[in-house]
Amino acid sequence: MFFEGSEKKLEVVVKARQPSLRRFGRPFWDNMVTAANAEILSHLSNEYCDAYLLSESSLFVWDDRFLMLTCGTTTLVDSALLFIEHQGIKGVDFLIYQRKNEYHSQLQKSSLNEDLRRLRLCLPMRAYQLGHLDSHHHYLAHYDNPYQPQTADHTNELLMYHINGDVADYLRSDGQTPQGVRERLQLARLLPGFALDDFVFSPCGYSVNALRGTDYATIHITPEQNSSYVSFESNLDLGGEYRFIIDGLLEILKPHSWDTVGFNSETRVSTANQACYVEQCEVMLNCGYKVQFSHHKANNNTVLPVLSL
Amino acid sequence: MFFEGSEKKLEVVVKARQPSLRRFGRPFWDNMVTAANAEILSHLSNEYCDAYLLSESSLFVWDDRFLMLTCGTTTLVDSALLFIEHQGIKGVDFLIYQRKNEYHSQLQKSSLNEDLRRLRLCLPMRAYQLGHLDSHHHYLAHYDNPYQPQTADHTNELLMYHINGDVADYLRSDGQTPQGVRERLQLARLLPGFALDDFVFSPCGYSVNALRGTDYATIHITPEQNSSYVSFESNLDLGGEYRFIIDGLLEILKPHSWDTVGFNSETRVSTANQACYVEQCEVMLNCGYKVQFSHHKANNNTVLPVLSL
């Protein structure tokens, strides 16, 4: 029973005065999702955004940008190449492609280097490995093009590994309901005023997309024992006013280790967790984002699991 | 420039009153090494043991047992299967197969699960994963057969990742000599009275086999920046009289992280290093060995590398 929860991520901003991406229509986005070997399960829309819940994670489409997250053994690089082919690189202002720390890289259909080789045939890309290869590391590649993000443009990712406790137990149990998961994740408190679109997978797993005006958030849960993973991503200011969300998720899900990735936003660990082990780094991208990556382990002197194979 | 220094390990003890393994002759051991896609570079012998230095690590052959370590993308499981085919499982008293924490599992020719599936077609094997999948973990599989190790039978492994400092710089430099490496590793102090057989690889890399009576030790160095790895293994009592060797190697090579694996021997980290982060576990094997695995990280609040790809 293994499922790679850890996602690949693609974010693209098109140039001003391009047609709205939301007008590309459902067949176009169906094709984009199919290219990655995923499918659209449901959608939620508001004035600013169409949020699609996928069989493997999420797609958010705004007028001038889209964000696609896909987990498992999906091939998100194929969606990136399809979009570039459709739009032409001249219509693209910003493109970033990430691969988060994977549990079982050898089960993926391609490596970051292979993805990068294909992308570089179409557009100039700068690429980075953040962190040591033998520990959690994050791959990040971006279109080598000057870009000026807006002042309020910040994104935070919280990526949790090996969750523990009552909520983790519930997430692994039979008979979960969307309402049961929402309550245990305290979504009404953590994401106040957000419209939610969620899905409980069989035999386990949970995804939710959340919209509130121009704010978005998404949570994906792969609860399987010994390879559990939960990701949270949002454009809320998690370094400031919404810092309680990270503290809340860490408290509820009790991960053994977690990573944070911040784009023009500092995601600090609260004092309650200062006993944990931390490694971190940052890089200033020439496309206008300062990216901060941190890897955390909850406790020192941990007794590790011994698993029979 | 990537080379997987991390080894696979095979140790086999044959039943009493079997012909001496040393008498199997060089062609037999050449075949065993070839099966793993390695070759014998040189050898060192004493009254008890034939120690072969390989293009990828080491082979030690005693009368009743052998130990084989192979790194890179070697296929050590093929050597295990060849030996079982030659000897017959009825002649085998003990067999253990390990895979240490790899940097790039996706570049290996097989996964632990694939190796295990093949071994289990020939003999009953118990197998364990020691440690979390998202951090350093150690795979260990053994022939499910009652075995009683001798009292003085203890083995220690010290596996170092991301070495730093002057010695690491020398190991990455041009124009190294065996004598230059021996001096910097302080082998005369750390392995007093041992006969040495060593090799400096091109463009870099160093291996040494060491024998002193019934004692053996071996060191393998893959110094490449960003994926460096150094392994030390010995049957000296590193939890007791020879504890200074581990402290010495950590001091000389300054790894960012390291693992210890002890078989009926406790490898403790000295007080000088207690500031480091430690995770550990142990398992009692039904073949008579208590195995202790520890993963260490040198410092808290480490600034991680950012590598351009």
Side-chain angles (χ1 to χ4, degrees):
Chain A
M1 278 303 297
F2 176 75
F3 184 82
E4 187 75 69
S6 163
E7 294 102 351
K8 301 163 193 79
K9 174 177 163 181
L10 171 67
E11 191 169 351
V12 174
V13 179
V14 293
K15 289 224 162 103
R17 289 176 297 278
Q18 301 278 315
S20 167
L21 295 174
R22 300 180 75 187
R23 302 253 175 102
F24 280 21
R26 176 70 182 256
F28 176 81
W29 294 109
D30 271 327
N31 282 342
M32 281 286 287
V33 169
T34 302
N37 286 312
E39 59 176 313
I40 294 174
L41 297 178
S42 64
H43 87 278
L44 171 72
S45 288
N46 71 8
E47 189 184 344
Y48 306 98
C49 181
D50 298 319
Y52 298 93
L53 207 62
L54 308 184
S55 54
E56 274 97 354
S57 304
S58 289
L59 167 65
F60 291 85
V61 184
W62 293 269
D63 286 323
D64 67 339
R65 63 174 62 206
F66 72 91
L67 161 68
M68 196 167 165
L69 290 164
T70 65
C71 60
T73 56
T74 49
T75 55
L76 185 58
V77 68
D78 289 322
S79 305
L81 294 169
L82 179 65
F83 187 83
I84 296 164
E85 186 186 320
H86 178 271
Q87 186 77 6
I89 191 58
K90 287 189 180 165
V92 172
D93 220 9
F94 169 83
L95 180 149
I96 197 163
Y97 178 73
Q98 294 167 247
R99 281 181 73 155
K100 301 170 187 183
N101 193 74
E102 290 155 359
Y103 276 110
H104 270 314
S105 300
Q106 80 276 16
L107 301 179
Q108 290 296 311
K109 296 202 174 114
S110 65
S111 66
L112 182 277
N113 279 332
E114 288 161 346
D115 293 351
L116 196 53
R117 205 174 303 131
R118 293 178 65 201
L119 288 167
R120 281 178 165 156
L121 293 175
C122 300
L123 72 172
M125 298 285 290
R126 292 201 180 209
Y128 300 93
Q129 174 192 313
L130 309 181
H132 279 304
L133 202 55
D134 73 317
S135 182
H136 282 218
H137 54 282
H138 196 92
Y139 291 118
L140 187 156
H142 70 89
Y143 176 27
D144 190 8
N145 184 51
Y147 176 70
Q148 184 57 56
Q150 295 181 349
T151 314
D153 179 353
H154 31 59
T155 307
N156 285 282
E157 304 170 14
L158 171 65
L159 317 170
M160 294 166 274
Y161 296 77
H162 303 300
I163 57 171
N164 296 287
D166 291 347
V167 176
D169 291 344
Y170 175 78
L171 292 165
R172 292 177 188 123
S173 66
D174 292 334
Q176 295 161 55
T177 61
Q179 190 54 31
V181 180
R182 287 182 189 200
E183 282 168 14
R184 281 162 182 86
L185 294 180
Q186 303 178 31
L187 294 190
R189 178 175 76 83
L190 297 182
L191 297 173
F194 276 78
L196 304 180
D197 178 23
D198 56 2
F199 195 89
V200 171
F201 292 86
S202 176
C204 59
Y206 174 81
S207 285
V208 59
N209 283 342
L211 292 178
R212 184 187 65 185
T214 56
D215 300 327
Y216 78 92
T218 185
I219 300 175
H220 298 282
I221 300 179
T222 302
E224 277 87 345
Q225 191 83 45
N226 301 323
S227 55
S228 60
Y229 173 82
V230 177
S231 71
F232 171 77
E233 168 164 343
S234 177
N235 62 347
L236 292 170
D237 180 15
L238 298 197
E241 185 185 352
Y242 290 93
R243 184 176 184 148
F244 69 89
I245 300 178
I246 287 197
D247 294 340
L249 288 172
L250 291 175
E251 178 57 31
I252 293 163
L253 294 165
K254 302 185 195 334
H256 172 65
S257 69
W258 67 93
D259 301 338
T260 61
V261 185
F263 291 80
N264 290 350
S265 170
E266 202 156 340
T267 316
R268 281 205 202 85
V269 174
S270 82
T271 39
N273 284 301
Q274 274 187 354
C276 70
Y277 173 87
V278 185
E279 299 175 321
Q280 52 207 324
C281 61
E282 62 179 49
V283 57
M284 187 65 223
L285 306 182
N286 75 346
C287 58
Y289 290 95
K290 183 162 86 170
V291 179
Q292 295 183 297
F293 170 75
S294 300
H295 172 52
H296 307 254
K297 292 200 178 217
N299 296 301
N300 205 339
N301 278 307
T302 301
V303 176
L304 291 171
V306 175
L307 310 178
S308 288
L309 302 176
Chain B
M1 277 304 296
F2 176 75
F3 184 83
E4 187 75 69
S6 164
E7 294 101 350
K8 302 163 192 80
K9 173 177 165 180
L10 172 66
E11 190 169 354
V12 174
V13 179
V14 293
K15 289 226 161 102
R17 290 178 296 278
Q18 300 278 316
S20 167
L21 295 174
R22 300 180 75 186
R23 301 255 175 101
F24 280 22
R26 175 70 182 255
F28 176 82
W29 294 108
D30 271 327
N31 282 343
M32 280 286 285
V33 170
T34 302
N37 287 312
E39 60 176 312
I40 294 174
L41 297 179
S42 63
H43 87 278
L44 171 72
S45 288
N46 71 7
E47 188 183 346
Y48 306 98
C49 181
D50 298 319
Y52 299 93
L53 207 62
L54 308 185
S55 54
E56 273 98 354
S57 304
S58 290
L59 167 65
F60 291 86
V61 184
W62 293 269
D63 286 325
D64 67 338
R65 64 173 64 207
F66 72 90
L67 162 67
M68 195 166 165
L69 290 164
T70 65
C71 60
T73 57
T74 50
T75 56
L76 185 58
V77 67
D78 289 321
S79 305
L81 294 168
L82 179 66
F83 187 84
I84 296 164
E85 186 188 319
H86 177 271
Q87 185 78 3
I89 191 61
K90 285 186 180 166
V92 172
D93 221 9
F94 169 85
L95 180 148
I96 196 162
Y97 178 74
Q98 293 167 247
R99 281 181 72 154
K100 300 170 187 182
N101 194 74
E102 290 154 357
Y103 276 109
H104 269 315
S105 300
Q106 79 276 14
L107 301 179
Q108 291 296 311
K109 295 200 174 116
S110 64
S111 67
L112 182 276
N113 278 332
E114 288 161 347
D115 293 351
L116 194 53
R117 205 174 303 131
R118 293 178 65 200
L119 288 166
R120 280 178 166 156
L121 293 174
C122 300
L123 72 173
M125 297 286 288
R126 290 200 183 211
Y128 300 94
Q129 174 192 313
L130 309 181
H132 279 303
L133 202 54
D134 74 316
S135 182
H136 282 219
H137 54 283
H138 196 92
Y139 290 118
L140 188 156
H142 70 89
Y143 177 27
D144 189 8
N145 183 52
Y147 176 71
Q148 184 57 55
Q150 294 179 351
T151 314
D153 179 352
H154 31 59
T155 306
N156 284 283
E157 304 169 14
L158 171 65
L159 317 169
M160 293 166 276
Y161 296 77
H162 303 299
I163 58 172
N164 297 289
D166 291 347
V167 177
D169 290 343
Y170 175 77
L171 292 164
R172 292 177 189 124
S173 66
D174 292 334
Q176 297 162 53
T177 61
Q179 191 53 33
V181 181
R182 287 181 190 201
E183 281 168 14
R184 282 164 182 85
L185 294 179
Q186 303 177 31
L187 294 191
R189 177 174 78 83
L190 296 182
L191 297 173
F194 276 78
L196 304 180
D197 177 24
D198 56 1
F199 195 88
V200 172
F201 292 86
S202 175
C204 59
Y206 174 81
S207 285
V208 60
N209 283 342
L211 292 178
R212 183 186 68 184
T214 56
D215 300 328
Y216 78 92
T218 185
I219 300 174
H220 298 283
I221 300 178
T222 301
E224 277 87 346
Q225 189 82 47
N226 301 322
S227 56
S228 60
Y229 173 82
V230 178
S231 71
F232 171 78
E233 169 164 342
S234 177
N235 62 348
L236 292 170
D237 180 14
L238 297 198
E241 185 185 351
Y242 290 94
R243 183 177 185 147
F244 69 89
I245 300 179
I246 288 197
D247 293 341
L249 288 172
L250 292 176
E251 178 57 33
I252 293 164
L253 293 165
K254 304 187 194 333
H256 173 64
S257 69
W258 67 95
D259 301 339
T260 62
V261 186
F263 291 81
N264 290 348
S265 171
E266 202 155 338
T267 316
R268 279 204 205 82
V269 173
S270 82
T271 39
N273 286 300
Q274 273 185 357
C276 71
Y277 174 87
V278 185
E279 300 176 320
Q280 51 207 325
C281 62
E282 62 178 49
V283 57
M284 188 64 224
L285 306 183
N286 75 346
C287 59
Y289 290 95
K290 183 162 86 168
V291 179
Q292 295 182 298
F293 170 74
S294 299
H295 171 52
H296 308 253
K297 292 201 178 214
N299 296 300
N300 205 339
N301 279 308
T302 301
V303 176
L304 292 170
V306 175
L307 311 177
S308 287
L309 302 175

